[in-house]
């Protein structure tokens, strides 16, 4: 019975992991197109190109699997998996509804989630180093620099929520959540979401894959399924960052009729945030490398520290 | 008074507004474009009007019009008259891989044998197949739109004025003839009724 339960939770997480990133990807296709006055994919699948990403996947699967002659073979081939799988593990720990509606309730869930998400960036660094290509290396190093800068405000913002809740467990944080946390933690939410975007290397923080100057950064030498895995990891990343922001700062499953519709609230908040991710991508131009670093250290870190102080003061005041 | 970040918010508003607007994209192979009648799609040939004067071929800046012809002798209509010769068109081809759609051939044609057609779907997989012969050019004639209507107060075109004058003269003559012999006309009417 216990084994069956575990298997079921794992399979459900896997299904979510395989389906929702594709939904987000399709949404990005269509939303971006309409924001630019285009239609986007219209043919694949018949109705408004709903099967575009399926068709893309089939195309990627048909492509030849190429490893450059000078590449570090093993690391090169492993990198996409290292980049993709952490998001699956993170998804396992994100609570979807009240009363244990979660893949696996982990006591130090917040810690686990942040640590594992950092691993995903290592995959990109591996790809950049192993490709034996100067553009890949530049992209990989930029990824590393970006990770170093943005991990700090992200962790500080998350720590503020953990402090407010008095627990590191994600379901525990949601159990302790009150509506007034929304204005209380809003700065932290902004910092966390922005830093999450930067960690995913989504525009406007996509300097590591800036195609106009370093081709496609760490992914330059990749093709076929491995390349598709990197793209999938980006969309899985959007899902995870949106879901985490929803859990930590928007109250996750809290909402009217949370007992029955908790999962729906969680899904709605996640997708609303994913829409914002796409919206930001369409609207803003890419930040230059120095602006990128400056923004992290001069804007986000002080903001996160300020949030931490505010949380501490209010926590002491109401305790 | 401007707050920091107003520009960023404006940017977001612009993209959001664009998203809610209907896109103007026309899905071409499914929906045909509405082209203005003067579109320069392809050059059509009304070969009945062509006299093989060669003006178009000579004026063409990149020499993409190929014309072959021969002379035919028409027997004299009257015993004392000279036999007439006439040009017969053997080949009229336009190489659309060279044509730059300047329209000079159409401008110079003195007999209105060349026209612009808005038809544009004649891509080929082989560049040699872009040389289109007279039968194809004649077929495109059916896609040439009617000339735009004259302004309401415009002068009557010369051709129509001449034709109308001739028709009026004939009608007047017929009317005069009918007035001169009313009897005969009634008879003929009755005969017609009997038949």
């Amino acid at each position: 019975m216990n084994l069956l339960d575990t298997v079921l939770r794992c399979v459900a997480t896997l299904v979510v992991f395989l389906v929702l990133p594709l939904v987000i990807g399709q949404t990005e296709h269509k939303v971006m197109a309409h924001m630019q006055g285009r239609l986007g994919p219209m043919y694949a699948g018949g109705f408004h190109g709903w099967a575009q990403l399926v068709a893309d996947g089939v195309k990627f699967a048909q492509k030849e699997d190429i490893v450059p002659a000078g590449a570090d073979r093993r690391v090169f081939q492993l990198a996409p998996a290292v980049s993709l799988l952490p998001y699956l593990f993170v998804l396992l720990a994100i609570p979807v509804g009240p009363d244990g509606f979660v893949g696996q309730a982990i006591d130090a869930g917040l810690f686990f989630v942040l640590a594992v998400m950092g691993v995903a960036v290592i995959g990109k660094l591996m790809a950049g180093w192993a490709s034996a290509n100067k553009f890949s290396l530049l992209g990989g190093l930029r990824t590393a620099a970006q990770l170093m800068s943005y991990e700090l405000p992200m962790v500080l913002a998350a720590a503020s929520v953990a402090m407010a809740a008095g627990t590191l467990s994600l379901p525990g944080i949601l159990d302790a959540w009150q509506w007034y946390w929304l204005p209380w933690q809003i700065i932290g939410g902004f910092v966390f979401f922005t830093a999450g975007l930067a960690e995913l290397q989504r525009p406007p923080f996509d300097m590591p894959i800036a195609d106009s100057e370093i081709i496609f950064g760490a992914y330059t030498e990749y093709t076929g399924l491995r390349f598709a895995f990197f793209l999938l990891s980006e969309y899985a990343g959007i899902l995870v960052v949106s879901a985490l922001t929803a859990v930590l700062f928007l109250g996750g499953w809290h909402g009217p009729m949370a007992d029955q519709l908790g999962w729906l609230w969680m899904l709605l908040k996640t997708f609303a945030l994913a829409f914002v991710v796409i919206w930001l991508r369409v609207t803003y131009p890419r930040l230059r490398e120095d602006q990128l670093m400056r923004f992290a250290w001069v804007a986000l870190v002080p903001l996160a520290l300020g949030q931490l102080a505010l949380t501490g003061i209010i926590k002491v005041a109401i305790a | 008074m401007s707050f920091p970040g107003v520009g960023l918010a404006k940017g977001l508003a612009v993209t959001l507004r664009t998203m809610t607007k209907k896109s103007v994209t026309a899905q071409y192979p499914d929906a045909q474009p509405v082209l203005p009648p003067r579109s320069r799609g392809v050059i059509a040939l009304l070969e009945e009007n062509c006299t093989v004067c060669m003006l178009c071929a000579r004026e063409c800046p990149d020499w993409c019009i190929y014309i072959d012809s021969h002379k035919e002798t028409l027997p004299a209509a009257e015993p004392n008259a000279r036999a007439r010769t006439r040009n017969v068109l053997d080949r009229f081809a336009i190489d659309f891989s060279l044509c730059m759609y300047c329209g000079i051939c159409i401008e110079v044609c003195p007999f209105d044998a060349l026209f612009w057609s808005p038809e544009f779907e004649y891509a080929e997989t082989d560049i040699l197949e872009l040389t289109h012969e007279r039968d194809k050019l004649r077929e495109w004639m059916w896609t040439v739109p009617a000339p735009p209507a004259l302004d309401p107060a415009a002068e009557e075109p010369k051709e129509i004025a001449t034709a109308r004058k001739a028709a009026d003269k004939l009608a007047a003559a017929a009317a005069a003839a009918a007035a001169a012999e009313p009897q005969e006309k009634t008879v003929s009417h009755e005969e017609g009724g009997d038949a």
Side-chain angles (χ1 to χ4, degrees):
Chain A
M1 186 59 206
N2 203 11
L3 182 70
L4 184 70
D5 186 55
T6 310
V7 169
L8 227 89
R9 280 165 190 267
C10 287
V11 168
T13 310
L14 189 65
V15 168
V16 167
F17 179 70
L18 290 178
V19 172
L20 288 193
L22 291 187
V23 174
I24 291 174
Q26 183 70 17
T27 313
E28 173 163 49
H29 268 314
K30 294 308 267 188
V31 166
M32 187 153 77
H34 283 283
M35 281 185 169
Q36 295 168 342
R38 299 181 287 118
L39 289 175
M42 287 298 280
Y43 283 92
F47 180 76
H48 286 260
W50 67 268
Q52 183 60 45
L53 289 181
V54 179
D56 282 349
V58 171
K59 184 197 78 174
F60 280 130
Q62 288 170 346
K63 283 190 162 186
E64 190 186 352
D65 182 24
I66 297 173
V67 180
D72 189 340
R73 273 192 93 77
R74 193 63 66 73
V75 179
F76 184 86
Q77 288 174 332
L78 204 62
V82 176
S83 179
L84 181 59
L85 285 181
Y87 292 121
L88 176 62
F89 299 141
V90 171
L91 218 51
L92 209 57
I94 292 178
V96 182
D99 308 324
F101 193 174
V102 51
Q104 181 63 49
I106 303 171
D107 286 342
L110 187 58
F111 181 74
F112 169 80
V113 158
L114 290 175
V116 171
M117 271 176 74
V119 174
V121 183
I122 305 280
K124 288 157 192 168
L125 191 55
M126 280 165 67
W129 181 255
S131 290
N133 177 318
K134 60 186 171 198
F135 298 113
S136 299
L137 184 57
L138 277 173
L141 290 180
R142 282 182 183 184
T143 305
Q146 198 159 314
L147 169 72
M148 301 277 263
S149 311
Y150 282 89
E151 193 80 345
L152 183 61
M154 193 172 180
V155 170
L156 286 177
S160 148
V161 177
M163 222 160 92
T167 171
L168 277 177
S169 151
L170 291 175
I173 288 174
L174 279 183
D175 287 338
W177 196 81
Q178 301 293 329
W179 67 266
Y180 63 83
W181 287 26
L182 213 56
W184 181 21
Q185 301 291 342
I186 191 159
I187 299 171
F190 167 74
V191 171
F192 185 86
F193 189 62
T194 314
L197 271 189
E199 205 145 308
L200 295 176
Q201 300 163 9
R202 290 285 300 177
F205 304 108
D206 61 339
M207 205 58 197
I209 52 170
D211 52 348
S212 51
E213 44 185 275
I214 53 171
I215 307 185
F216 212 42
Y219 314 146
T220 302
E221 294 288 357
Y222 280 89
T223 178
L225 264 186
R226 291 181 205 284
F227 181 70
F229 284 154
F230 273 126
L231 287 190
L232 188 61
S233 82
E234 182 173 335
Y235 291 106
I238 297 176
L239 175 67
V240 163
V241 165
S242 302
L244 268 184
T245 311
V247 165
L248 294 178
F249 298 97
L250 299 183
W253 44 259
H254 282 282
M257 294 176 66
D259 286 336
Q260 291 90 43
L261 294 177
W263 59 274
L264 187 64
W265 288 113
M266 177 65 193
L267 211 60
L268 276 179
K269 288 169 182 176
T270 306
F271 270 102
L273 285 170
F275 175 79
V276 173
V277 171
I278 298 164
W279 191 9
L280 292 173
R281 174 192 177 162
V282 180
T283 306
Y284 296 139
R286 179 185 301 134
L287 263 66
R288 216 170 45 211
E289 187 65 26
D290 62 313
Q291 293 169 333
L292 201 73
M293 291 300 139
R294 198 181 153 74
F295 183 60
W297 292 106
V298 176
L300 290 188
V301 171
L303 277 178
L305 286 174
Q307 173 68 63
L308 214 53
L310 182 71
T311 307
I313 290 165
I314 293 188
K315 184 78 182 165
V316 169
I318 61 175
Chain B
M1 177 85 196
S2 78
F3 301 94
V6 165
L8 296 177
K10 272 184 186 163
L12 287 173
V14 166
T15 41
L16 196 66
R17 221 177 303 127
T18 312
M19 188 179 76
T20 54
K21 274 187 203 143
K22 200 168 159 44
S23 160
V24 295
T25 307
Q27 294 213 270
Y28 157 57
D30 297 334
Q32 285 294 323
V34 182
L35 294 173
R38 291 169 73 177
S39 304
R40 299 184 167 205
V42 73
I43 296 166
L45 168 73
L46 185 61
E47 63 177 69
E48 291 86 335
N49 279 358
C50 180
T51 61
V52 202
C53 66
M54 302 292 284
L55 278 179
C56 50
R58 277 198 250 175
E59 292 296 329
C60 178
D62 42 15
W63 288 44
C64 68
I65 302 182
Y66 308 108
I67 299 178
D68 286 340
S69 68
H70 66 274
K71 277 197 192 317
E72 220 171 48
T73 311
L74 294 178
E78 294 168 36
N80 290 333
R82 245 188 323 144
R84 294 286 186 144
T85 59
R86 160 176 101 87
N87 291 321
V88 180
L89 189 66
D90 291 330
R91 180 185 186 220
F92 192 107
I94 300 180
D95 187 348
F96 284 103
S97 67
L98 291 179
C99 177
M100 57 185 198
Y101 300 86
C102 63
I104 289 177
C105 51
I106 294 163
E107 287 295 317
V108 300
C109 181
F111 301 105
D112 282 349
L114 292 172
F115 294 89
W116 277 121
S117 154
E119 176 63 37
F120 62 95
E121 289 173 312
Y122 53 97
E124 301 285 351
T125 47
D126 186 348
I127 196 168
L128 296 177
E129 286 165 15
L130 273 172
T131 304
H132 286 295
E133 299 291 336
R134 59 197 277 194
D135 46 346
K136 188 81 197 206
L137 298 178
R138 181 64 183 84
E139 250 169 59
W140 274 322
M141 211 39 226
W142 303 113
T143 64
V144 173
L150 292 173
D151 291 339
E155 202 177 297
E156 202 172 25
K158 226 176 234 170
E159 304 92 315
I160 294 179
T162 318
R164 199 171 49 76
K165 246 178 239 165
D168 285 352
K169 212 182 266 175
L170 278 179
E181 302 172 40
Q183 196 62 34
E184 209 168 292
K185 195 158 191 195
T186 12
V187 171
S188 70
H189 249 283
E190 279 164 10
E191 275 170 5
D194 287 340

